[in-house]
Amino acid sequence: TVFDQDLGELTFKVAVNEKHVDVKPITINLSSQQKTVGDARGLAFDFDQTGYTFKGNITSELAVNGSSKKENKNILHLSLTPNNFSLDLLAPLIPVSMNQSSITGKIDLDYNIKEPLASQMNSSWSKIDLETPEGPIRLNKSGAIDYQGRAFIFKNIDVAVGEGQVSLNGPLGLENNSALHVSGSVDFAPITDFNPFISDSDKPIQVDVTLKGNIFRPQMFGKVELQD
């Protein structure tokens, strides 16, 4: 269960050998569909006087490694490498219906256990391919999304959204620290499930705007052109 959402039934075996622990095989029976994912290799943990490290595969499409040090128990370092990772596993957490959707990239996360919003993340993406009932959302070229200073920072994120093409650059903050530049043509149809207050539009809308404020109450400055 993640964020009170049932992802499925997780099963594994644990083998302990002094300061080494193997967790394998990992099997996840997805509750949202008749499908089982996992990996026979599982995860390997090694412990010493400074803390512990781990590495392995949660599924065949998702490699992970990480560490925790006794000198800073509040920080868990995680490195995730999704390779054509199917979003089936995360379906209960995603506010939109998706079919045959997958991502490829690299995520480095310093997770703050006591204060999650103070965590830091660097991520690079070579593939984001989302199939929604209203239309596709696809990454046109490699880009990056970081999280620092309580803000998501978009770096050269260029996506095709339905019939539109949008470029995102800059921070979108949880506090009043946003300065996200959005330019291109926006097709609202594929993103209406993400935000039900957005209405469908027959044609893409041309935008060149900067979003300020915060992610919950963004303020938009710039130019929006509606086509006839």
Side-chain angles (χ1 to χ4, degrees):
T1 300
V2 180
F3 304 125
D4 294 326
Q5 298 294 323
D6 185 12
L7 296 181
E9 181 182 6
L10 172 65
T11 59
F12 54 85
K13 293 182 179 180
V14 177
V16 180
N17 182 7
E18 295 184 351
K19 296 182 179 181
H20 180 84
V21 176
D22 286 317
V23 179
K24 64 179 181 180
I26 294 175
T27 303
I28 306 171
N29 294 311
L30 300 179
S31 59
S32 59
Q33 50 194 291
Q34 300 296 323
K35 185 176 180 180
T36 299
V37 298
D39 196 280
R41 293 167 290 183
L43 299 173
F45 292 78
D46 287 291
F47 298 81
D48 60 25
Q49 66 273 15
T50 66
Y52 67 88
T53 62
F54 60 92
K55 63 180 179 179
N57 285 72
I58 296 176
T59 75
S60 59
E61 305 162 341
L62 181 60
V64 59
N65 66 73
S67 63
S68 177
K69 300 300 182 182
K70 291 182 179 179
E71 63 186 19
N72 194 354
K73 294 181 180 180
N74 293 330
I75 300 297
L76 175 64
H77 176 71
L78 286 171
S79 181
L80 302 168
T81 307
N83 184 15
N84 285 319
F85 176 66
S86 172
L87 295 181
D88 293 348
L89 180 61
L90 304 179
L93 305 178
I94 301 175
V96 62
S97 299
M98 293 185 182
N99 297 310
Q100 299 178 346
S101 299
S102 61
I103 56 176
T104 297
K106 178 71 179 296
I107 303 168
D108 287 309
L109 172 66
D110 284 327
Y111 181 72
N112 190 314
I113 297 172
K114 284 192 174 181
E115 193 176 358
L117 294 181
S119 301
Q120 296 188 45
M121 178 191 74
N122 296 102
S123 72
S124 57
W125 301 96
S126 59
K127 177 185 178 183
I128 297 177
D129 192 348
L130 311 180
E131 293 289 345
T132 78
E134 290 76 19
I137 301 175
R138 292 191 175 94
L139 187 67
N140 290 326
K141 61 182 182 179
S142 297
I145 303 174
D146 297 340
Y147 178 81
Q148 296 178 0
R150 300 176 187 264
F152 292 95
I153 304 170
F154 295 81
K155 299 179 179 179
N156 300 316
I157 295 296
D158 190 354
V159 293
V161 183
E163 297 181 2
Q165 303 280 339
V166 181
S167 294
L168 306 174
N169 280 284
L172 182 61
L174 301 179
E175 300 174 350
N176 292 323
N177 54 346
S178 298
L180 177 63
H181 183 231
V182 182
S183 62
S185 56
V186 179
D187 181 359
F188 285 109
I191 58 176
T192 52
D193 280 359
F194 288 103
N195 190 336
F197 299 103
I198 296 176
S199 299
D200 289 335
S201 177
D202 292 335
K203 296 182 179 180
I205 296 175
Q206 299 296 321
V207 300
D208 188 357
V209 300
T210 298
L211 298 181
K212 297 187 177 181
N214 61 60
I215 194 171
F216 307 106
R217 293 184 178 180
Q219 300 171 335
M220 185 170 66
F221 299 86
K223 181 172 65 175
V224 176
E225 296 182 5
L226 303 177
Q227 299 181 2
D228 295 333

